Amino acid sequence: MQMVQDPDVPGEDEEDSAPRPVLPDPQWHVGRCLGKGSSSSVWLVERPVDRKRYALKVPLGRDALSDGFEIRRELGILSRYRHENLLGVEGVLATSQGHGLLLEYAPGDSLARLVAARGVLSAGETVTVLVAVGRALDCLHADGAVHGDVSPGNVLFTANGKPLLADFGTGRLLAEPGRGGTGTPGFSAPETALQAGEPGEGRAGDVFALGALGWFMLTGRPLVPGLRLPLSVLLPNLPPALRDLVDSALEEAPELRPAAGVFAARVLRACPPEPLDLLPAVHPSIAAELRTRRTSPPARSRRRRSPGQRKARRSPRAPWEEPLRGTRAAPGGSARKTRRGAGKTGGWLIATALLVGATAVLGAIAVLAPEVLHPDGVRSVPAAGQVQETAPTGPGPEGPPRAEPPAAQLQPAQGESEPTPGELAVLAGDDPLAAAKVLPVLRARAFAAGNPELLGWVNQPGSEVEAADLTAVRALQERGERLEGLTAAVLDASAASPLSGERVRIAVSAELSAWTQVRSDGTQAADPGAEQRQEVLLELQRSGGSWRIAAVLPAAASLQEPSVTKR
Ligand SMILES: Nc1ncnc2c1ncn2[C@@H]1O[C@H](COP(=O)(O)OP(=O)(O)OP(=O)(O)O)[C@@H](O)[C@H]1O
């Protein structure tokens, strides 16, 4: 399985290198390091007298959080925001490294670590996270507050698999003075840098980040801003309603994005939520505590139900809202344990869950992202009523892609596999502005033909944009599909950095035509894509005597030099 290395996930060594805080108050015991961010390390602390566990977030620089009075005042404000999907802020503790924030402990670790350990999540698991984070944001937005850094490192899980949105306000408390609030690359809205400091405007930015979170969970990668392809290309088996909702949250225009609460409610209706399989990501000492692993495949009763019963089932609930297995409602509404209650779940549950959980995860990956399971080989995804032959692709992780089309009908038409001599001359020339006008055209042609070979001329080897494009075009190629009619026209290209040197930035205004996603037999495979106008910043790199795209950034990134920075 392809592991995704996320910048939010600290390695073991990195965590070990964080200085262990000493607490003057003897009633606290400091345990293992839970994680390390850019400005703080987080430690498990326990109060042996009542065995209560918390997470203690301590600044990495001693100067931060030195003013205990100011911190307590701010915490007073933060503690106004209470929601079941917001990580609780419990208080302040003096440590050898300044004041630390006492937080609710989330044993299930972070979404960043989960995706790094497992790769893509299933549609149902994605729904579980999106609904929770959407509801937490709705709570903040209703009070005029904005989170500002919704990202996988800031989504944590309880042992029940309930997602908790973390770092609301506390990130700001611990950050060094002068560090901006532009969010995390891949999760910040195109307009974020432009709107910094404008109160109220950030709500749509939070919704964009929520959509980017959905993209991240479903594809296993952060969004590459700019010329983004629709999810229908990458994940044709995704429930269309969920796909459309994620796309709607990622709309370029903030006013077109839904409100967080509306988004959460619609996502919950779009696809049944599933409990998260957290086991691969948690610390070994936590495995026995987890209550989230699936003990059976998503249940579908074969019994016929009356229309009334069907209606009752249709009211969707997030998994953490359901009564735990082994509990039933006692008279008076409270839940009490049955003979197979909590604490007796033991080895059989773990063993069954390991087996079923692993199968479910692999199944989800096979359906949603076959390239994750078969990075170098074609796994055919038959269209409705069709059986396709499979054939191996070439290896080619480095340099121009060498994937071979699996069947004769997938061969690109003459002239679609290479740039024209005129285009080649521009790419090899001295004018990056001219190259910036050709590269998006070639890129669109690669998608129109379902031909990854062309991308070897377009994207810088080893770049994120190359990986994302190859994944998408190979997915199309495997299915024998193409985006018929897709063309790109660059309306304007202007320098966003000095044009001397081997790496330059060009602001590009491009228009993508409408297209139809068609199978090799000409039938339509997904809803047609609409024409779109996009403003992006292309980072071009000249290597091997030719200009290629090294990164695609939101247009707003031109305001930040040298690249988008994380708060
Ligand atoms: N309450 C918690 N319970 C369990 N683990 C936690 C908790 N808070 C943080 N962690 C772990 O520590 C990691 C780092 O925490 P966090 O991201 O809050 O630090 P940070 O300094 O704010 O990071 P950044 O500024 O880079 O966003 C998290 O990704 C998570 O793995």
Side-chain angles (χ1 to χ4, degrees):
M1 192 201 311
Q2 179 179 328
M3 298 297 175
V4 181
Q5 185 57 49
D6 190 275
D8 276 341
V9 181
E12 294 288 328
D13 293 347
E14 205 184 336
E15 286 177 10
D16 289 349
S17 69
R20 172 176 284 268
V22 177
L23 306 190
D25 186 340
Q27 68 166 322
W28 291 98
H29 170 250
V30 181
R32 67 189 167 89
C33 181
L34 296 170
K36 191 177 155 197
S38 55
S39 54
S40 55
S41 60
V42 184
W43 299 79
L44 180 61
V45 294
E46 185 172 351
R47 199 163 45 193
V49 63
D50 54 9
R51 307 201 65 186
K52 280 208 165 161
R53 292 178 300 175
Y54 297 89
L56 182 66
K57 187 164 175 169
V58 293
L60 287 169
R62 282 198 62 139
D63 287 347
L65 274 190
S66 55
D67 185 346
F69 175 78
E70 180 63 12
I71 286 299
R72 286 195 172 84
R73 195 184 67 81
E74 292 248 16
L75 273 185
I77 298 169
L78 287 182
S79 54
R80 274 197 2 234
Y81 300 94
R82 289 271 170 194
H83 186 272
E84 66 161 339
N85 298 116
L86 270 181
L87 187 83
V89 184
E90 308 295 344
V92 178
L93 273 187
T95 84
S96 52
Q97 293 160 41
H99 287 86
L101 293 174
L102 203 58
L103 305 169
E104 176 181 357
Y105 169 47
D109 219 299
S110 70
L111 180 62
R113 210 182 284 262
L114 183 65
V115 173
R118 280 187 41 194
V120 295
L121 305 189
S122 72
E125 289 175 303
T126 301
V127 167
T128 299
V129 174
L130 290 180
V131 169
V133 178
R135 287 179 181 177
L137 288 176
D138 184 43
C139 161
L140 297 179
H141 293 176
D143 206 45
V146 166
H147 186 284
D149 190 15
V150 177
S151 59
N154 285 335
V155 177
L156 305 174
F157 299 103
T158 67
N160 273 353
K162 180 169 77 169
L164 300 170
L165 179 59
D167 228 5
F168 166 63
T170 57
R172 185 169 42 83
L173 287 182
L174 290 166
E176 290 155 30
R179 299 181 71 202
T182 54
T184 299
F187 299 88
S188 47
E191 74 280 5
T192 303
L194 295 171
Q195 291 176 341
E198 285 181 40
E201 293 300 328
R203 268 175 277 186
D206 277 350
V207 173
F208 182 94
L210 190 55
L213 216 53
W215 177 281
F216 175 71
M217 290 183 275
L218 293 167
T219 66
R221 300 166 187 281
L223 191 69
V224 178
L227 303 169
R228 178 173 55 85
L229 276 160
L231 279 169
S232 62
V233 174
L234 285 171
L235 306 169
N237 295 325
L238 196 66
L242 177 60
R243 182 190 69 202
D244 293 347
L245 279 163
V246 172
D247 278 339
S248 71
L250 292 172
E251 285 282 1
E252 292 275 313
E255 65 277 9
L256 295 181
R257 297 173 206 147
V262 172
F263 179 83
R266 288 182 184 162
V267 165
L268 192 53
R269 283 198 301 269
C271 171
E274 278 177 17
L276 286 127
D277 181 12
L278 300 175
L279 190 62
V282 297
H283 190 267
S285 64
I286 300 303
E289 282 182 39
L290 283 187
R291 308 284 299 280
T292 63
R293 285 155 296 162
R294 274 161 272 163
T295 52
S296 59
R300 282 239 171 106
S301 170
R302 292 207 187 113
R303 269 186 305 128
R304 279 174 174 273
R305 283 185 296 272
S306 70
Q309 283 172 311
R310 251 183 245 138
K311 196 170 177 199
R313 267 183 66 88
R314 238 180 259 142
S315 161
R317 279 195 296 190
W320 69 86
E321 294 173 311
E322 291 179 356
L324 293 169
R325 281 198 177 81
T327 64
R328 64 187 164 86
S334 65
R336 70 179 170 84
K337 288 170 189 146
T338 63
R339 275 188 299 143
R340 205 189 277 164
K344 296 234 174 201
T345 45
W348 69 270
L349 172 58
I350 295 171
T352 321
L354 272 171
L355 278 175
V356 178
T359 316
V361 171
L362 289 175
I365 291 170
V367 172
L368 294 177
E371 69 282 359
V372 173
L373 280 182
H374 302 271
D376 297 325
V378 168
R379 177 187 163 280
S380 77
V381 182
Q386 241 184 336
V387 179
Q388 288 183 341
E389 293 293 312
T390 60
T393 52
E398 294 148 15
R402 279 172 280 133
E404 291 163 17
Q409 78 267 20
L410 302 185
Q411 293 287 358
Q414 196 76 33
E416 286 176 337
S417 59
E418 288 209 334
T420 64
E423 288 166 339
L424 283 175
V426 171
L427 296 185
D430 287 335
D431 184 359
L433 285 177
K437 291 182 179 165
V438 166
L439 288 165
V441 174
L442 286 177
R443 182 176 181 266
R445 209 185 297 156
F447 282 95
N451 174 19
E453 276 176 51
L454 256 179
L455 291 174
W457 298 97
V458 176
N459 296 321
Q460 179 67 13
S463 62
E464 264 187 32
V465 67
E466 184 207 37
D469 276 0
L470 274 180
T471 304
V473 177
R474 280 184 178 150
L476 276 177
Q477 190 194 36
E478 284 179 15
R479 298 193 299 271
E481 291 173 6
R482 59 206 154 79
L483 303 186
E484 191 173 81
L486 179 70
T487 56
V490 175
L491 308 176
D492 188 43
S494 58
S497 74
L499 292 183
S500 52
E502 303 291 278
R503 198 160 173 123
V504 298
R505 284 186 171 183
I506 315 271
V508 166
S509 170
E511 204 160 68
L512 286 184
S513 67
W515 72 84
T516 316
Q517 193 171 330
V518 293
R519 302 190 183 97
S520 54
D521 63 5
T523 56
Q524 193 170 314
D527 295 339
E531 191 179 280
Q532 32 178 301
R533 175 87 177 262
Q534 287 172 327
E535 315 288 331
V536 291
L537 200 68
L538 295 184
E539 204 160 86
L540 300 194
Q541 166 103 38
R542 190 183 175 122
S543 62
S546 188
W547 290 105
R548 289 189 175 83
I549 300 175
V552 184
L553 307 168
S558 57
L559 301 175
Q560 305 164 333
E561 289 296 338
S563 61
V564 183
T565 50
K566 187 170 184 255
R567 180 184 55 71

